[in-house]
Amino acid sequence: MKFKISTGACFIFFSGLYSNLLLPAMELQAQNINIPIVSQHNALVLQVDGNKNLSTIYFGKKLLDQAEYNNIPELYKQGTDYTGILNAAYTPSGSRNLLEPAITVTHADGNNSLDLRYVSHTITQVNDDVSLFSVVLKDPVYNFLVTLYYKSYFREDVLEQWSVIENKEKGAVILQKFASANLYLKAGSYWLNQYHGDWAKEMQPEESRLTHGIKTLDSKLGTRTNLFQPSVFMISLDKPASEDEGTVLYGALEYSGNFRTDLELDYQNNLKIISGINNYSSAYTLKPNEVFTTPAFLYTLSFTGKGNASRKLHQWARNYQLLAGKGNRLTLLNNWESTYFDFNENKLAALLKDTKKLGVDMFLLDDGWFANKYPRNDDHAGLGDWQENKQKLPNGIASLVKEANNNGVKFGIWLEPEMVNPKSELYEKHPDWVIKQPGREEYYFRNQLVLDVSNPQVQEFIYGTIDGLLTKNPDLAYIKWDCNAVIYNAYSAHLKNQSHFYIEYMRGLYKVLESIRAKYPKVPMMLCSGGGGRVDYAALQYFTEFWPSDNTDPLERIFIQWEYSYFYPAITSSNHVTDWGKQSLKFRTDVAMMGKLGFDIVVSRLSDHDLQFCKEAIKTYNAIKPKIWQGDQYRLSDPRAGSIASVLYVNEDQSSAVIFNYLVNNRYNEGSKMPVLLKGLDPVKKYTIKEVNLYPGTVSTIDALKVYSGDFLMKAGFNPDVNAERPSVVLEVNEVH
């Protein structure tokens, strides 16, 4: 069975579709074979030695002369490599290796050792930007193979790496560990920037110097796996990287389940990064002739700081990975904070009129619209019973979709299809579909349990729920897919081998999502998981956007959105204006504009000026959103380093930009005391700067007629005049023709 994780891993059948350069196995002499995997600025160089060991000899700036990569190993005098495979491209265990392995197996005869030697490699030119490298490794004693895949995106300087493990032995082999990638870095010191958090406290950064031994970033939650620790991270070489200076590597596993990244600083002061599916409680039995494909590990290396790395990753995501990365997104009004579970058709009809009045594209009906025997009036009942609640919606979803159309807006709906309440008809009818340990007391997260998505019947049920809604309501325009519980008491009544459970759950989920996208390729879907509990690039190939946090306090959101922006482009981030926080409606709206704008407010309670502001803000947003969604992002002023936050988005030809500026420190007399240095403009071009998104009745302090050169704005800067009276300032920069 092939474990297909992402479009980045759709490689098995490339040969035949494109012309290949096959370098067959040959008798290796003393001469080494180099395999340079290059992009616009970077090179990862693998080397095969005379004993057919595959090693990483270089990862850094691309050299002009490829022959000179041979000179690199002799430059390092770091002591004895007792194993001969410290810098292995994919480190096996149980033979010569003495440090953390990328792969550990138990052979059919019970032997725990593995040795991987080079057999051949293939280079496929996918297009003018993308190249695919594959390197076949085999154990000299056992008929066991690993193929390493490296997908290079030349212009973006991005690499995806994964492994395909194949058992050609006569009996089953148990995979004890099965990483996607095994990187090897050399530097004087290494600085890790990692993230932690909890509900409403997502993406809290921590930076520390790596010391000798192993630092592990991982999750064992089963679902909602990024709740406490996301799988994204940064490694700075020699010193902590800043926005525009320093060498930094961004890493991210394209996987929505349990992950594990080991960062091992070895006795020679080199850093090994091993990342993949978490092997916790997941020893995998690989039958004869069976293939196991790992998810892709994504990384990019920048020599000019974090900002450059972000822009590379954003460009890659929009071009290759995101669903409709160059497409449109819908602004919306959500009912959740207006009604919670307490609504009916009349209330919703009024909200649909408010949606039209506000000027957004769509109305989103959130939790509480379903279940009859155990109606969904709070979060204790109804999950899994996806029929319209007859008391709340006697005429069903169809009447609401029709009413939305009559009001000139679209209609979307909330679902949590992987979950079930014990108080539900689904639980009563199919207790074997629920993840729970037989004989043990059930333990709940948000009063609910998780369905066993490894079970094909459950997969069909989830697919049927989505398909049924969209078939009955072809004008249904949007789905918010939530996932609020982690997995306790992991056990599948369907599976014979429980150690396969966590892996088979994710396979089942991806299978459902692939089926939905095969039939409904363009229906927008939000990836929601109690906030940022499930945000990764494997999931984002199926979803148009994600929900960063349930915390919509705009001051908190500045920090949360700032950290997400290192790894994910603005077009993926759903940001809603709500009543959280003490800031003004303008401040809340300005913060939400830095991504995909939405509203979760009671429109009928807005004052005339507030309503006028919101309507004009949506018009302003519609005019500037192409720059936000598709432009290059520059973080100008770090909210953790001073009193203001400032972020700029500039379009491709550098003719226009938008800058968001916020006061994040309300102490006396704080504000933008110093100019902010702009970035990403053309130094030769002339620009004007005007303030946009003003509240009705206010006058800007910015001179919109004054002309500046790009050179001046990037070297001398510009002061947005942020202060307690002007805590949120949005500026539009336009070229003067």
Side-chain angles (χ1 to χ4, degrees):
M1 181 182 291
K2 293 183 175 68
F3 188 6
K4 191 171 93 172
I5 297 294
S6 72
T7 53
C10 292
F11 53 86
I12 302 288
F13 300 106
F14 275 165
S15 53
L17 294 179
Y18 303 100
S19 58
N20 287 355
L21 171 61
L22 178 62
L23 303 183
M26 61 186 71
E27 189 158 335
L28 299 174
Q29 307 300 326
Q31 178 104 19
N32 296 329
I33 294 177
N34 287 347
I35 308 173
I37 301 168
V38 299
S39 58
Q40 186 173 4
H41 301 100
N42 302 342
L44 172 67
V45 183
L46 309 179
Q47 187 175 85
V48 185
D49 68 16
N51 293 317
K52 300 185 181 180
N53 294 308
L54 181 70
S55 302
T56 302
I57 63 165
Y58 183 74
F59 187 26
K61 293 181 180 179
K62 183 171 64 177
L63 302 182
L64 295 176
D65 183 357
Q66 289 197 4
E68 290 196 296
Y69 291 124
N70 282 319
N71 299 328
I72 288 173
E74 66 188 35
L75 300 176
Y76 294 90
K77 314 292 183 184
Q78 295 176 283
T80 304
D81 177 359
Y82 301 103
T83 68
I85 56 171
L86 269 182
N87 61 339
Y90 196 71
T91 311
S93 69
S95 53
R96 292 172 289 156
N97 177 47
L98 299 175
L99 301 179
E100 185 64 28
I103 183 169
T104 304
V105 305
T106 301
H107 294 282
D109 63 2
N111 194 308
N112 289 321
S113 70
L114 184 65
D115 191 7
L116 295 174
R117 304 296 178 103
Y118 170 86
V119 176
S120 64
H121 72 278
T122 305
I123 304 170
T124 302
Q125 193 67 39
V126 178
N127 56 42
D128 64 354
D129 186 41
V130 181
S131 302
L132 182 70
F133 298 75
S134 62
V135 186
V136 180
L137 307 175
K138 184 182 179 299
D139 191 304
V141 176
Y142 291 91
N143 201 359
F144 186 88
L145 294 88
V146 176
T147 303
L148 305 181
Y149 285 86
Y150 301 82
K151 199 171 190 179
S152 171
Y153 299 84
F154 185 86
R155 289 188 289 271
E156 294 81 5
D157 282 322
V158 165
L159 279 173
E160 285 182 297
Q161 184 178 341
W162 64 92
S163 58
V164 175
I165 303 166
E166 189 171 2
N167 175 23
K168 291 288 188 179
E169 299 179 31
K170 293 181 180 179
V173 173
I174 299 175
L175 305 181
Q176 308 287 2
K177 189 177 182 183
F178 29 88
S180 299
N182 183 166
L183 304 187
Y184 190 74
L185 304 177
K186 287 180 176 287
S189 58
Y190 309 88
W191 298 80
L192 169 67
N193 196 322
Q194 66 183 97
Y195 295 89
H196 69 96
D198 197 350
W199 179 81
K201 296 186 291 184
E202 290 83 356
M203 292 297 284
Q204 303 296 312
E206 286 181 311
E207 188 165 46
S208 59
R209 181 170 178 166
L210 287 171
T211 56
H212 291 84
I214 298 177
K215 169 78 173 184
T216 298
L217 311 176
D218 77 333
S219 175
K220 305 179 183 73
L221 305 182
T223 58
R224 203 177 172 184
T225 50
N226 291 328
L227 177 61
F228 302 139
Q229 184 163 57
S231 57
V232 295
F233 63 92
M234 307 176 198
I235 298 291
S236 299
L237 306 185
D238 295 320
K239 63 179 181 179
S242 66
E243 196 66 25
D244 300 305
E245 293 182 342
T247 301
V248 61
L249 178 138
Y250 282 20
L253 187 67
E254 296 176 38
Y255 190 61
S256 310
N258 293 343
F259 61 85
R260 172 177 169 180
T261 298
D262 293 318
L263 305 154
E264 182 171 26
L265 186 59
D266 69 20
Y267 64 91
Q268 288 191 342
N269 301 313
N270 302 317
L271 182 66
K272 182 185 293 186
I273 303 174
I274 298 173
S275 186
I277 296 173
N278 198 333
N279 57 334
Y280 160 77
S281 193
S282 294
Y284 193 89
T285 301
L286 199 63
K287 298 174 184 176
N289 297 313
E290 189 177 0
V291 171
F292 186 98
T293 303
T294 70
F297 177 68
L298 172 73
Y299 52 104
T300 186
L301 184 64
S302 165
F303 304 99
T304 53
K306 298 176 182 178
N308 179 45
S310 289
R311 289 184 289 278
K312 290 177 179 181
L313 206 52
H314 295 174
Q315 184 180 1
W316 168 83
R318 291 190 296 258
N319 288 342
Y320 294 104
Q321 191 71 2
L322 299 178
L323 183 67
K326 297 295 185 71
N328 192 27
R329 300 292 188 269
L330 299 171
T331 54
L332 60 84
L333 175 65
N334 194 356
N335 73 300
W336 179 243
E337 296 201 14
S338 302
T339 67
Y340 294 98
F341 294 100
D342 182 18
F343 57 82
N344 54 37
E345 281 186 356
N346 290 333
K347 281 188 179 181
L348 296 180
L351 290 174
L352 283 166
K353 289 182 173 59
D354 288 342
T355 307
K356 176 66 173 178
K357 184 190 301 183
L358 192 61
V360 294
D361 302 317
M362 185 187 69
F363 174 77
L364 173 62
L365 176 59
D366 215 292
D367 195 357
W369 58 268
F370 51 91
N372 289 294
K373 183 177 179 180
Y374 303 106
R376 182 71 166 174
N377 294 321
D378 55 41
D379 64 9
H380 288 79
L383 271 183
D385 299 343
W386 300 108
Q387 69 278 137
E388 295 101 329
N389 181 277
K390 294 177 182 178
Q391 185 174 358
K392 292 181 181 179
L393 307 176
N395 295 301
I397 297 298
S399 67
L400 296 173
V401 175
K402 183 178 179 181
E403 183 68 17
N405 289 338
N406 292 339
N407 281 277
V409 296
K410 298 180 184 295
F411 187 86
I413 201 162
W414 177 95
L415 288 162
E416 195 173 4
E418 298 161 73
M419 304 294 161
V420 63
N421 283 125
K423 194 174 181 180
S424 68
E425 290 184 84
L426 181 66
Y427 184 94
E428 291 175 347
K429 292 176 182 176
H430 299 286
D432 57 318
W433 285 11
V434 180
I435 296 171
K436 56 177 182 174
Q437 285 281 352
R440 294 192 187 277
E441 182 181 356
E442 292 178 357
Y443 193 75
Y444 306 128
F445 196 111
R446 200 180 180 249
N447 307 304
Q448 64 196 57
L449 294 166
V450 183
L451 291 174
D452 179 10
V453 188
S454 74
N455 186 334
Q457 291 180 301
V458 175
Q459 296 167 26
E460 291 174 10
F461 169 76
I462 294 174
Y463 173 80
T465 298
I466 308 293
D467 183 47
L469 273 170
L470 292 171
T471 300
K472 293 175 188 174
N473 306 284
D475 290 333
L476 193 64
Y478 186 91
I479 290 173
K480 178 181 177 182
W481 186 304
D482 215 338
C483 173
N484 283 306
V486 301
I487 293 176
Y488 294 123
N489 292 320
Y491 180 86
S492 167
H494 164 72
L495 293 175
K496 294 181 180 178
N497 189 337
Q498 295 302 315
S499 68
H500 289 195
F501 168 72
Y502 287 116
I503 292 170
E504 293 296 347
Y505 183 98
M506 292 315 306
R507 286 179 172 174
L509 178 61
Y510 289 140
K511 184 177 179 181
V512 171
L513 291 169
E514 285 171 4
S515 298
I516 291 169
R517 281 307 174 200
K519 187 170 181 180
Y520 305 101
K522 296 183 179 179
V523 175
M525 293 202 303
M526 180 203 287
L527 180 65
C528 184
S529 190
R534 180 187 278 168
V535 182
D536 63 87
Y537 274 118
L540 281 171
Q541 64 182 321
Y542 305 110
F543 294 84
T544 45
E545 59 226 51
F546 71 89
W547 182 239
S549 177
D550 282 345
N551 186 342
T552 54
D553 181 308
L555 185 60
E556 295 287 345
R557 266 301 188 110
I558 289 170
F559 291 86
I560 292 171
Q561 291 169 199
W562 180 280
E563 298 303 332
Y564 273 118
S565 79
Y566 285 110
F567 301 94
Y568 302 101
I571 193 172
T572 63
S573 180
S574 288
N575 309 326
H576 289 186
V577 180
T578 74
D579 289 331
W580 281 47
K582 300 178 181 179
Q583 292 78 12
S584 69
L585 178 63
K586 171 178 162 50
F587 192 102
R588 286 178 272 149
T589 305
D590 289 349
V591 172
M593 278 185 170
M594 290 197 302
K596 203 224 75 171
L597 176 65
F599 289 83
D600 203 334
I601 57 176
V602 184
V603 177
S604 61
R605 295 179 189 168
L606 294 177
S607 68
D608 289 344
H609 279 162
D610 280 354
L611 179 59
Q612 181 186 348
F613 167 75
C614 287
K615 293 170 72 171
E616 291 301 318
I618 291 164
K619 292 177 184 177
T620 300
Y621 176 73
N622 287 336
I624 64 176
K625 67 186 181 184
K627 292 188 278 283
I628 301 169
W629 293 352
Q630 301 298 334
D632 283 336
Q633 183 192 54
Y634 293 85
R635 289 172 291 268
L636 306 180
S637 181
D638 188 341
R640 286 186 168 83
S643 294
I644 69 164
S646 186
V647 180
L648 175 147
Y649 302 89
V650 60
N651 67 359
E652 186 176 4
D653 66 4
Q654 301 170 299
S655 64
S656 186
V658 58
I659 314 170
F660 294 93
N661 308 275
Y662 310 103
L663 182 66
V664 295
N665 181 353
N666 286 317
R667 298 195 68 183
Y668 177 72
N669 203 32
E670 285 303 316
S672 54
K673 298 178 180 179
M674 306 288 285
V676 176
L677 298 181
L678 276 56
K679 300 173 187 176
L681 302 179
D682 186 330
V684 177
K685 289 182 176 179
K686 302 294 185 181
Y687 298 94
T688 57
I689 299 178
K690 68 175 181 178
E691 185 172 357
V692 297
N693 221 37
L694 289 163
Y695 192 82
T698 60
V699 177
S700 175
T701 62
I702 305 299
D703 184 351
L705 299 178
K706 195 165 185 178
V707 177
Y708 308 86
S709 70
D711 180 64
F712 177 88
L713 292 172
M714 292 190 290
K715 291 177 180 176
F718 184 85
N719 197 315
D721 194 20
V722 173
N723 53 57
E725 284 71 44
R726 291 167 45 83
S728 175
V729 176
V730 182
L731 302 172
E732 189 172 16
V733 182
N734 286 302
E735 180 184 0
V736 177
H737 295 285

